Amino acid sequence: TAGDVFGHSLDDNFRDQGWQSFQAALDVRDGLTHPKTFEDCHVDDDALETVDQGHAWFKDLHNEFVRVAHLHRNREHSW
């Protein structure tokens, strides 16, 4: 949507491993914020790695949004 509004397409990919890691990281978060058992509160190294990968994917997407917003702002004020 932001790409449509700004007139630039965002370089996003919701089919890659980063997106899958982001979704899996949300599952980790959900398990911690809504545990059903004591074991749900345990986070192992693999889960932490998944969260790191999901965070990196989201950070890259956010940075792309900021880049496109900056281009839009500069274009609007360049006259």
Side-chain angles (χ1 to χ4, degrees), residues 3-77:
D4 293 339
V5 170
F6 295 144
H8 288 86
S9 62
L10 292 173
D11 183 20
D12 58 12
N13 189 349
F14 293 100
R15 293 179 189 88
D16 66 0
Q17 181 61 39
W19 170 244
Q20 293 171 7
S21 294
F22 181 76
Q23 290 180 306
L26 291 178
D27 291 339
V28 172
R29 180 199 65 101
D30 290 347
L32 291 171
T33 57
H34 307 290
K36 305 289 189 258
T37 67
F38 180 74
E39 288 79 27
D40 289 344
C41 296
H42 176 73
V43 178
D44 62 17
D45 290 342
D46 290 339
L48 288 176
E49 180 64 28
T50 296
V51 170
D52 284 343
Q53 291 171 358
H55 176 258
W57 177 87
F58 182 82
K59 184 178 70 173
D60 290 346
L61 181 64
H62 179 264
N63 287 342
E64 177 67 6
F65 171 81
V66 170
R67 182 190 70 78
V68 169
H70 181 73
L71 289 172
H72 176 73
R73 185 177 62 238
N74 285 344
R75 186 179 65 205
E76 291 291 316
H77 297 296

